[in-house]
């Protein structure tokens, strides 16, 4: 019965699951903990108001997050475990104020997210999706497909040289690309050129790849001015968060051909993608799938579980989010 404790679960920590997770992970959580899936409650808000004090752990995801109000409504909460690396929807500060650590899943997704950055980069530069549409509609029989843009040997600007940004840089060296980057401050232990001005980085770049964390600090970083500096030969790739880009300015730039094209995995209001983009051939659109491979999602799921198990056996998650 929903919300009623199973006798065999009484000794297990009570865990609130916010949002759906991979079936394997849900099974593991249910086996190790006294798990309640909030989405299965007829009235989730009323359920939390009535039962919130019973939970010592919460499991969520980067997509769903957990805000300060939810943390507040769980007065016995001791740990949060989130599926994903992004913390823009997880109120780590509110948790930290109560001494609650947040487990999350960095690193295990670096390779797949970097692969997706290059999927988008090569696709939009070489017009692969557009060419696929051309073949499928039978246009090859009568028309000539236009020339594309070379990717190898070009200039790659990376916005946010963190773990994922560095993995993208590794891929780029295989394409003989020259690399520069923009961060709030120069990164340690890298030889790539640092650009203090994002606009200057955009001006220099053939491809500008956004790999910065989301959240208030990076909101609208890729502005109309940055896009203008990227210019009619430049491409924008975003595998970070939709909010890092001024989306209306990007749509305008793509329409006006003020930039050459864009490859996007993320949007401001997912899963709602601005319809204006659907009509444009110079943009490749993915449905936020950068980490979505069997291998990486399984590694993320395993870490979500390990973070909780480590907290209950050793007092801290295996990988805890930094408190800024
Ligand atoms: C997640 C992501 O798969 O890790 C992140 O921050 O954006 C993706 O890898 C997705 O958002 C899961 O919630």
């Amino acid at each position: 019965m929903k919300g009623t404790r199973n006798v065999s679960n009484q000794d297990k920590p009570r865990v609130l699951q916010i949002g759906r997770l991979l079936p394997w992970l849900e099974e593991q959580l249910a086996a190790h903990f006294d798990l309640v899936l909030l989405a299965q409650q007829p009235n989730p808000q009323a359920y939390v108001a009535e039962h919130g004090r019973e939970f010592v752990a919460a499991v969520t995801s980067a997509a769903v997050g957990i805000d300060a109000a939810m943390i507040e409504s769980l007065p016995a909460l001791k740990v949060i475990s989130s599926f994903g690396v992004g913390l823009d929807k997880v109120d780590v500060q509110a948790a930290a104020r109560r001494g609650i650590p947040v487990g999350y899943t960095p690193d295990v997704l670096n390779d797949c997210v970097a692969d997706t950055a290059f999927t988008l980069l090569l696709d939009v530069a070489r017009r692969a999706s557009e060419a696929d549409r051309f073949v499928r509609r039978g246009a090859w029989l009568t028309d000539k497909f236009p020339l594309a843009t070379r990717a190898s040997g070009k200039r790659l600007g990376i916005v946010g040289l963190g773990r994922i940004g560095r993995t993208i840089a590794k891929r780029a060296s295989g394409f003989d690309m020259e690399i520069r980057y923009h961060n709030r401050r120069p990164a340690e232990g890298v030889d790539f050129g640092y650009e203090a001005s994002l606009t200057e980085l955009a001006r220099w770049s053939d491809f500008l790849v956004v790999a910065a964390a989301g959240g208030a600090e990076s909101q609208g970083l890729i502005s109309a001015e940055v896009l203008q500096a990227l210019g009619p030969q430049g491409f924008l790739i975003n595998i970070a968060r939709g909010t890092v880009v001024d989306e209306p300015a990007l749509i305008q730039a793509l329409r006006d051909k003020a930039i050459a094209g864009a490859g996007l995995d993320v949007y401001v209001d997912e899963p709602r993608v601005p319809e204006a983009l659907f009509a444009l051939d110079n943009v490749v659109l993915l449905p936020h799938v950068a980490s979505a491979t069997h291998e990486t999602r399984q590694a993320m799921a395993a870490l979500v579980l390990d973070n909780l198990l480590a907290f209950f056996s050793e007092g801290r998650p295996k990988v805890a989010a930094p408190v800024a």
Side-chain angles (χ1 to χ4, degrees), residues 80 87 92 101-106 163 307 316-323:
I80 295 167
L87 296 166
V92 179
V102 176
Y104 74 141
T105 69
R163 289 176 276 241
N307 277 335
R316 68 174 70 121
K318 189 171 166 192
V319 184
V323 181

Side-chain angles (χ1 to χ4, degrees), residues 77-246:
L77 193 67
K78 290 190 167 59
V79 63
I80 295 167
S81 183
S82 181
F83 180 94
V85 66
L87 296 166
D88 44 314
K89 291 186 178 166
V90 177
D91 200 330
V92 179
Q93 301 295 336
R97 283 196 288 277
R98 277 185 38 206
I100 300 167
V102 176
Y104 74 141
T105 69
D107 290 320
V108 294
L109 42 60
N110 294 349
D111 282 326
C112 277
V113 177
D115 291 353
T116 302
F118 262 85
T119 302
L120 284 168
L121 187 155
L122 293 170
D123 190 333
V124 70
R126 299 300 307 267
R127 309 176 89 146
S129 290
E130 187 188 343
D132 178 274
R133 292 191 290 272
F134 176 88
V135 172
R136 285 169 198 262
R137 70 172 177 266
W140 197 8
L141 297 168
T142 50
D143 301 339
K144 209 167 155 44
F145 192 72
L147 295 180
T149 301
R150 178 184 167 118
S152 291
K154 293 289 179 70
R155 294 171 161 186
L156 180 75
I158 301 176
V159 183
L161 197 72
R163 289 176 276 241
I164 292 170
R166 286 169 203 239
T167 313
I168 291 169
K170 271 209 275 181
R171 304 285 181 281
S173 73
F175 285 89
D176 300 319
M177 290 174 134
E178 195 186 335
I179 297 164
R180 289 190 190 174
Y181 72 99
H182 169 80
N183 268 6
R184 269 166 298 176
R185 59 194 83 85
E188 276 170 32
V190 291
D191 295 333
F192 313 127
Y194 173 68
E195 269 293 354
S197 156
L198 176 53
T199 306
E200 287 315 310
L201 181 69
R203 208 181 306 288
W204 174 85
S205 300
D206 296 308
F207 298 93
L208 190 66
V209 179
V210 185
E217 277 187 45
S218 61
Q219 176 105 25
L221 206 60
I222 308 297
S223 61
E225 183 196 323
V226 171
L227 293 168
Q228 205 191 347
L230 184 58
Q233 313 294 326
F235 294 85
L236 182 79
I237 309 298
N238 189 5
I239 47 76
R241 285 292 183 263
T243 52
V244 186
V245 176
D246 178 339

